[in-house]
């Protein structure tokens, strides 16, 4: 069939494309709606639109085959179409992309090309008002399937699609920005409530420390003074023993209020000492493992202290309430700046009707205030996991 004979047929295809797009409100379904029309003009195994999502990043929308390209954003500098997007060429035409260094360079995001044998490929720019908004990419598993005429046809399709998809993408970006703003407000409100709850918890903690000093340390010192002043006061050795016990009690109260071990010996050691003290003479196996080479001690001071307080609360809960026979604390690196602390016990798990002011509520508050992700699982005991990404 001649080009003159094909022209009316193609005109009908573009009319159908316009009709389909006029009824769509999202990019994925719009592309699906016109896939058959695109295939009439250029047969393909895989086709996708790569739209500039934000500076340096692309969002891909696919038909024909689903690949990793549409599952996550792709950086322009590792995209197989980077030469087109950076202005090095006006289009790209590959007889066999699996062997084309423009598409399979070092660190390129080109796995789908090999996984699905996308040999023939043609790429053209999509523009609105003269400005690139992305690319149309069409691929076939048969090598050398496309030629210069295919490039021209692909450009006609891209020109027809560009205004519609630019409008849909702009609407999607606006919706995403609104959602992000709403989420930011929700986070801010959560932090405000968290700060209030933590302030209340700190006030309760101060009251507890005051009661401990009054009921224990002050009472012990009062008894010592009374015994020393009366006739038949205790022997020196007995007096020294009782004073030592009082000093030990006072030191435990101070250590609870100010984590001096954390400052002197580091995070993992402080957690281990607290775990040993909390367990006491109970027959509980304990283990503290740091696989991060001291990453917790490189955290900002507030984050490190909050993480330690979370560990203290979780350990105390496990010892006092779970009936556990084994408690493990593990620190591991989740990313170059990411830290994961896992506290696991083999106890009775978490009851369903916890009071709002329980120790877990304080843990959640502390986690929110340092923007840490908190996961608590109650199967086969209790597993508490804190994931903290330190800002760059």
């Amino acid at each position: 069939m001649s080009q003159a004979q094909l022209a009316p047929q193609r005109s009908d295809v573009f009319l159908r494309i316009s009709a389909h797009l006029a009824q769509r409100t999202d990019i994925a379904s719009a592309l699906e709606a016109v896939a058959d029309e695109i295939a009439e003009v250029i047969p393909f195994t895989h086709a996708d639109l790569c739209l500039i999502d934000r500076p340096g990043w692309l969002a891909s929308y696919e038909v024909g085959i689903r690949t990793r390209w549409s599952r996550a954003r792709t950086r322009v500098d590792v995209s197989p179409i980077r030469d087109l997007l950076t202005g090095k060429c006006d289009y790209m035409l590959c007889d066999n992309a699996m062997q084309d260094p423009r598409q399979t360079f070092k660190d390129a995001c080109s796995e789908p090309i090999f996984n699905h044998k996308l040999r023939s490929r043609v790429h053209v720019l999509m523009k609105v008002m003269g400005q690139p908004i992305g690319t149309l990419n069409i691929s076939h598993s048969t090598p050398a399937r496309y030629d210069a005429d295919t490039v021209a046809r692909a450009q006609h399709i891209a020109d027809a699609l560009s205004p519609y998809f630019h409008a849909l993408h702009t609407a999607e970006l606006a919706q995403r920005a609104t959602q992000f703003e709403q989420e930011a407000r929700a986070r801010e409100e959560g932090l405000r409530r968290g700060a209030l709850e933590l302030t209340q918890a700190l006030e309760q903690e101060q009251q507890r420390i005051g009661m401990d000093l009054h009921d224990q340390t002050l009472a012990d010192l009062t008894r010592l003074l009374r015994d020393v002043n009366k006739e038949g006061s205790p022997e020196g050795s007995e007096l020294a023993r009782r004073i030592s016990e009082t000093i030990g009690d006072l030191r435990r109260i101070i250590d609870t209020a100010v984590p001096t071990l954390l400052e002197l010996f580091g995070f993992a050691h402080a957690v281990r000492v607290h775990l040993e003290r909390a367990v006491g003479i109970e027959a509980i196996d304990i283990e503290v493992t740091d696989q991060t080479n001291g990453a917790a001690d490189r955290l900002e001071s507030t984050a490190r202290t909050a993480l330690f307080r979370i560990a203290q609360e979780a350990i105390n809960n496990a010892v006092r309430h779970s009936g556990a026979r084994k408690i493990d604390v593990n620190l591991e690196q989740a990313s170059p700046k990411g830290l994961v602390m896992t506290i696991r016990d083999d106890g009775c798990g978490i009851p369903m009707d916890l009071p709002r002011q329980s120790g877990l509520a304080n843990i959640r508050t502390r986690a929110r205030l340092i923007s840490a992700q908190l996961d608590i699982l109650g199967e086969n005991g209790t597993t508490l996991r804190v994931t903290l990404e330190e800002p760059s």
Side-chain angles (χ1 to χ4, degrees):
M1 187 178 293
S2 67
Q3 292 293 325
Q5 291 172 311
L6 281 172
Q9 181 182 353
R10 289 182 186 167
S11 176
D12 178 61
V13 167
F14 286 111
L15 286 174
R16 280 185 278 135
I17 286 176
S18 297
H20 288 316
L21 292 177
Q23 303 174 36
R24 304 293 168 170
T25 57
D26 68 279
I27 297 174
S29 68
L31 185 57
E32 287 282 357
V34 299
D36 290 342
E37 281 70 25
I38 295 174
E40 282 187 43
V41 181
I42 305 174
F44 63 83
T45 303
H46 173 272
D48 72 320
L49 303 179
C50 284
L51 301 178
I52 299 172
D53 196 57
R54 61 181 186 271
W57 289 85
L58 300 169
S60 180
Y61 303 85
E62 304 176 298
V63 288
I65 299 172
R66 300 295 180 186
T67 76
R68 63 165 288 186
W69 284 330
S70 63
R71 290 197 290 270
R73 302 295 190 266
T74 303
R75 296 202 324 266
V76 170
D77 61 344
V78 298
S79 170
I81 54 171
R82 65 178 184 180
D83 285 356
L84 183 58
L85 290 165
T86 55
K88 291 185 178 179
C89 56
D90 296 326
Y91 66 89
M92 294 178 70
L93 178 64
C94 306
D95 286 341
N96 189 349
M98 296 172 68
Q99 300 174 0
D100 193 322
R102 296 176 301 172
Q103 305 236 332
T104 58
F105 52 88
K106 186 177 184 297
D107 296 327
C109 183
S110 55
E111 295 95 328
I113 293 175
F114 295 97
N115 292 344
H116 302 285
K117 298 180 172 55
L118 303 179
R119 296 182 176 90
S120 293
R121 304 197 79 203
V122 60
H123 312 276
V124 294
L125 280 171
M126 300 175 68
K127 293 183 178 181
V128 170
M129 299 180 65
Q131 296 299 313
I133 65 164
T135 63
L136 170 65
N137 316 290
I138 299 176
S139 307
H140 204 286
S141 56
T142 303
R145 180 71 185 260
Y146 302 140
D147 55 18
D149 180 60
T150 312
V151 174
R153 282 181 278 155
Q155 191 63 67
H156 286 315
I157 296 171
D159 292 343
L161 300 182
S162 293
Y164 292 97
F165 282 96
H166 177 62
L168 292 174
H169 193 221
T170 300
E172 182 182 291
L173 291 176
Q175 184 180 21
R176 197 187 307 163
T178 301
Q179 182 179 356
F180 180 81
E181 184 178 350
Q182 291 172 345
E183 290 174 351
R185 284 203 201 100
R187 284 195 298 271
E188 183 179 349
E189 176 60 18
L191 287 175
R192 188 193 67 78
R193 290 196 305 268
L196 178 60
E197 291 173 6
L198 187 57
T199 300
Q200 293 170 342
L202 290 174
E203 179 64 27
Q204 292 172 354
E205 183 72 3
Q206 289 177 345
Q207 292 175 4
R208 184 193 65 77
I209 292 170
M211 287 188 293
D212 284 350
L213 289 171
H214 178 274
D215 297 343
Q216 182 174 315
T217 307
L218 184 59
D220 289 344
L221 290 173
T222 301
R223 281 194 299 272
L224 281 171
L225 180 61
R226 185 172 59 247
D227 289 346
V228 167
N229 288 331
K230 72 180 181 180
E231 293 184 7
S233 60
E235 296 289 333
S237 59
E238 173 63 14
L239 191 61
R241 183 188 65 79
R242 291 169 61 181
I243 291 174
S244 295
E245 288 179 353
T246 302
I247 292 172
D249 291 338
L250 184 58
R251 182 175 288 118
R252 278 190 290 275
I253 293 172
I254 293 171
D255 284 347
T256 301
V258 182
T260 53
L261 284 171
L262 187 62
E263 302 299 330
L264 293 174
F265 302 108
F267 189 90
H269 181 80
V271 169
R272 184 176 292 108
V273 170
H274 181 77
L275 184 55
E276 290 170 351
R277 286 179 177 175
V279 168
I281 61 172
E282 298 291 330
I284 300 176
D285 292 333
I286 61 174
E287 185 173 358
V288 177
T289 306
D290 184 1
Q291 305 178 53
T292 70
N293 193 28
D297 293 308
R298 296 189 290 274
L299 293 173
E300 185 271 329
S301 176
T302 301
R304 183 177 64 152
T305 301
L307 198 63
F308 181 67
R309 294 302 192 196
I310 290 172
Q312 282 183 311
E313 190 71 57
I315 289 167
N316 291 344
N317 287 345
V319 172
R320 294 170 185 169
H321 308 302
S322 74
R325 297 295 88 191
K326 183 174 177 59
I327 302 174
D328 293 330
V329 181
N330 184 53
L331 298 165
E332 57 186 325
Q333 203 93 42
S335 66
K337 287 184 174 291
L339 177 68
V340 178
M341 178 178 72
T342 304
I343 301 174
R344 184 179 291 108
D345 69 63
D346 63 352
C348 61
I350 304 173
M352 298 299 293
D353 55 346
L354 280 174
R356 191 172 185 275
Q357 292 300 324
S358 67
L360 286 180
N362 293 337
I363 288 175
R364 291 190 180 96
T365 298
R366 292 186 189 278
R368 283 202 303 272
L369 290 175
I370 58 173
S371 301
Q373 178 182 330
L374 177 67
D375 298 296
I376 302 174
L377 307 175
E379 296 180 2
N380 301 318
T382 301
T383 299
L384 182 144
R385 183 178 298 111
V386 183
T387 304
L388 179 63
E389 288 284 346
E390 191 177 18
S392 301

